[in-house]
Amino acid sequence: MEQVKVIAPAKINLSLDITGVDEKGYHLLDMVMQTISVFEKVTLTKQDDITMSSNAKFIPTDSKNTAVKAAMKFFEYTGIKGGVHIHIKKTVPIKAGMAGGSADAAGVIVGLNHMYEAGLTTQQMCEIGLMCGSDIPFMIHGGTKRIQGTGNIIMPAPQMPQCHIVVCMPTKGVSTPQAYANYDEMGVKTLVENEKLLKAMEEENLEDICRYMANDLEKAAGSEETEPIKKLLLDLGATGSMMTGSGAAVFGIFSDEETAEKAVKAIRNKEIELPCAVRSVFLAKPVSFGASVMKK
Ligand code: C5P
């Protein structure tokens, strides 16, 4: 196969609980994540070496990019002598907590497995992913999952009920290492009740899901725009609102499609006075898949 196209969804955190720190200083987590219908598109073309390009001019295209690292690790792991040109059409904002970079890397691993007919299992692809970033195994799996450890333990979770998700990215992003460092310094813990959240999901009770959404990094991320955007989304009819991952994107969960569409329109067209500048706004739904090869 000379060319493979992959679609790789972004994620939101319905919860993020920091439960400890490992010997390397990495944070042990217990979180519920959901892939959503905001997509990265990764096109892989077979060639002898590894190169990368993107429509986004602000991301590295050398081995600093997680997608390039993932390709290098794929060839190392499998022993296959090959290469690839990776083209990434970026939609997911950077420094958003939506795992856009991890989605790209997941797309590269899944796509290369297909292109080179390597026959890797999901577990093996996740092992490669984990060498490049903690969110990559989940971005390979997708759907609704409970994740523990440093991203290596992936467990099934009840599917997120049908809903509409408005994601707002403020102008200023948050660096993930900085958010974790701030958390360590501040030592302020949020009450995260994953069992209650999962029970609410099993019962398909959107109000309770929103009640039990919680994120230990929300305050530590230090984004001044989090609280104003949360309030804005709630004022526009969201049942619940929270920052995703290490930020800075904030999402609102809406039960009603029309209300969610109106909220997006109001923010995008500045029909209301915005509490801060919003760089981008997305209307999305939960999806049940991770990075996937597109059928022609
Ligand atoms: O793995 P990822 O590239 O997302 O991590 C970026 C940085 O965030 C890590 O180098 C580390 O400083 C911090 N981090 C952490 N604990 C995690 C995930 C990330 O401390 N579980």
Side-chain angles (χ1 to χ4, degrees):
M1 208 160 310
E2 291 307 303
Q3 192 169 74
V4 172
K5 290 187 182 198
V6 183
I7 182 163
K11 60 90 174 165
I12 55 167
N13 282 77
L14 298 173
S15 69
L16 191 157
D17 188 15
I18 300 178
T19 56
V21 184
D22 74 3
E23 62 284 356
K24 287 191 214 133
Y26 252 65
H27 294 75
L28 300 172
L29 305 167
D30 185 4
M31 49 190 180
V32 179
M33 297 212 274
Q34 174 67 53
T35 42
I36 61 168
S37 59
V38 178
F39 300 110
E40 296 282 90
K41 297 213 171 106
V42 182
T43 304
L44 303 177
T45 310
K46 207 181 243 182
Q47 62 177 24
D48 292 337
D49 53 351
I50 301 171
T51 55
M52 192 200 126
S53 60
S54 174
N55 65 320
K57 299 290 163 244
F58 47 81
I59 56 167
T61 52
D62 57 12
S63 61
K64 283 197 218 58
N65 194 299
T66 323
V68 174
K69 263 187 224 159
M72 289 161 66
K73 289 286 175 200
F74 171 87
F75 290 114
E76 242 175 75
Y77 185 96
T78 56
I80 293 171
K81 295 203 182 343
V84 67
H85 178 73
I86 305 162
H87 182 75
I88 296 173
K89 184 162 177 279
K90 274 206 95 59
T91 304
V92 181
I94 58 161
K95 295 189 173 184
M98 298 170 77
S102 299
D104 298 337
V108 167
I109 297 166
V110 169
L112 284 176
N113 190 38
H114 189 76
M115 174 180 272
Y116 281 93
E117 296 172 357
L120 299 180
T121 61
T122 303
Q123 175 66 29
Q124 289 173 314
M125 291 194 282
C126 288
E127 275 174 38
I128 300 175
L130 201 60
M131 294 177 212
C132 310
S134 33
D135 281 336
I136 301 172
F138 170 68
M139 302 313 278
I140 291 173
H141 278 270
T144 320
K145 298 282 186 295
R146 183 177 188 173
I147 292 110
Q148 291 180 336
T150 54
N152 53 318
I153 304 167
I154 299 189
M155 293 176 287
Q159 210 181 326
M160 175 87 176
Q162 227 225 340
C163 63
H164 307 276
I165 303 165
V166 177
V167 190
C168 274
M169 179 61 196
T171 42
K172 229 171 133 224
V174 174
S175 123
T176 303
Q178 192 59 52
Y180 280 104
N182 292 352
Y183 175 85
D184 289 340
E185 201 170 304
M186 287 164 69
V188 183
K189 181 98 190 72
T190 304
L191 178 66
V192 187
E193 296 178 287
N194 276 322
E195 301 302 337
K196 289 185 180 165
L197 173 66
L198 291 165
K199 184 163 178 285
M201 295 188 48
E202 203 171 303
E203 291 168 353
E204 301 191 14
N205 183 333
L206 210 54
E207 281 196 11
D208 274 358
I209 291 174
C210 290
R211 180 168 303 129
Y212 293 116
M213 290 190 315
N215 182 347
D216 254 333
L217 289 177
E218 203 173 60
K219 288 193 179 68
S223 167
E224 287 166 9
E225 290 153 327
T226 304
E227 285 306 320
I229 297 180
K230 279 172 73 172
K231 184 173 180 306
L232 171 72
L233 291 169
L234 292 171
D235 287 348
L236 289 169
T239 311
S241 179
M242 199 177 75
M243 187 187 84
T244 170
S246 55
V250 174
F251 63 90
I253 304 277
F254 291 72
S255 56
D256 175 60
E257 184 165 20
E258 207 182 312
T259 312
E261 275 170 1
K262 275 193 188 149
V264 169
K265 210 165 138 263
I267 297 168
R268 196 171 279 156
N269 302 340
K270 300 194 179 71
E271 287 167 9
I272 44 163
E273 199 181 323
L274 298 180
C276 59
V278 173
R279 197 200 309 160
S280 44
V281 56
F282 304 91
L283 178 58
K285 283 183 189 171
V287 296
S288 59
F289 56 90
S292 305
V293 171
M294 284 168 83
K295 296 198 182 80
K296 294 258 165 70

